[in-house]
Amino acid sequence: MEQFWHLKTEGDLRFLIKKHFDINLEIGGGWGYSKEEATVIYGYNTLSLSQFQHTFASIRAYGEMNMALQESQRYGSINLNERSRETVNIDTIDYECVTYEVSAMKESDYAKFIAIYKEGYGTLEFDIKEHFASRKEATLKREVVHWFELQN
């Protein structure tokens, strides 16, 4: 299983996210790897809470699996699916622990699959079932947990 490093909380997360993703999120705290590093959600505007959390989790996954890696090691086609959520109260603070399945493919592999698809699609020699089976086999899947501190 591929190992990804935790992102470091250096400075204001709002500023970092605005700078790199051009999105304003009303958050504080850390990247959500543990209760101690929980992401504090102050507001989520027009999104539902689960949409807001998914957006933040996607940003974290992209940071870990793409931005923090050397170009030859980067992943693309990063997708998250929520698997479970649990609300816990610790010392009168409400947290939500959300588990996501993250799937991704090495950018270099993805580019090759796209090129093969574009070249082969519609030809007699192209086996679309085999193509997508190969893509599935090249896809990395991992499970991650995010801790969110809920503000009342």
Side-chain angles (χ1 to χ4, degrees):
M1 173 62 100
E2 185 98 22
Q3 179 67 38
F4 296 94
W5 300 104
H6 287 186
L7 300 175
K8 292 184 174 141
T9 305
E10 296 175 356
D12 185 353
L13 285 183
R14 284 181 283 199
F15 173 77
L16 292 171
I17 291 169
K18 177 66 175 169
K19 178 181 174 186
H20 294 288
F21 297 94
D22 196 26
I23 185 172
N24 292 309
L25 297 180
E26 294 183 47
I27 58 168
W31 287 103
Y33 293 109
S34 65
K35 174 182 69 89
E36 294 75 23
E37 297 178 87
T39 304
V40 181
I41 299 174
Y42 298 113
Y44 36 92
N45 300 328
T46 60
L47 300 174
S48 70
L49 178 60
S50 63
Q51 288 172 320
F52 185 93
Q53 291 167 325
H54 186 274
T55 298
F56 181 79
S58 296
I59 288 169
R60 185 179 102 177
Y62 188 78
E64 294 168 342
M65 300 176 76
N66 188 286
M67 295 173 74
L69 300 175
Q70 293 182 5
E71 194 170 333
S72 63
Q73 298 174 317
R74 290 181 181 164
Y75 285 81
S77 190
I78 300 169
N79 293 296
L80 282 76
N81 289 303
E82 183 179 318
R83 292 294 176 226
S84 65
R85 70 177 46 236
E86 177 184 8
T87 302
V88 294
N89 185 285
I90 302 171
D91 298 326
T92 70
I93 299 172
D94 286 330
Y95 296 93
E96 216 165 36
C97 298
V98 184
T99 302
Y100 297 96
E101 179 186 78
V102 181
S103 63
M105 189 182 298
K106 290 273 185 154
E107 282 186 335
S108 57
D109 291 342
Y110 186 69
K112 289 175 191 172
F113 280 118
I114 294 300
I116 291 168
Y117 182 83
K118 285 180 178 180
E119 184 179 309
Y121 186 74
T123 65
L124 292 175
E125 301 82 32
F126 186 67
D127 185 338
I128 197 161
K129 284 185 178 182
E130 182 181 314
H131 176 78
F132 281 103
S134 295
R135 282 175 67 157
K136 185 176 181 178
E137 190 175 306
T139 300
L140 169 75
K141 292 198 176 190
R142 61 192 279 245
E143 192 171 277
V144 298
V145 176
H146 284 257
W147 282 77
F148 295 97
E149 181 180 325
L150 304 177
Q151 296 288 302
N152 295 332

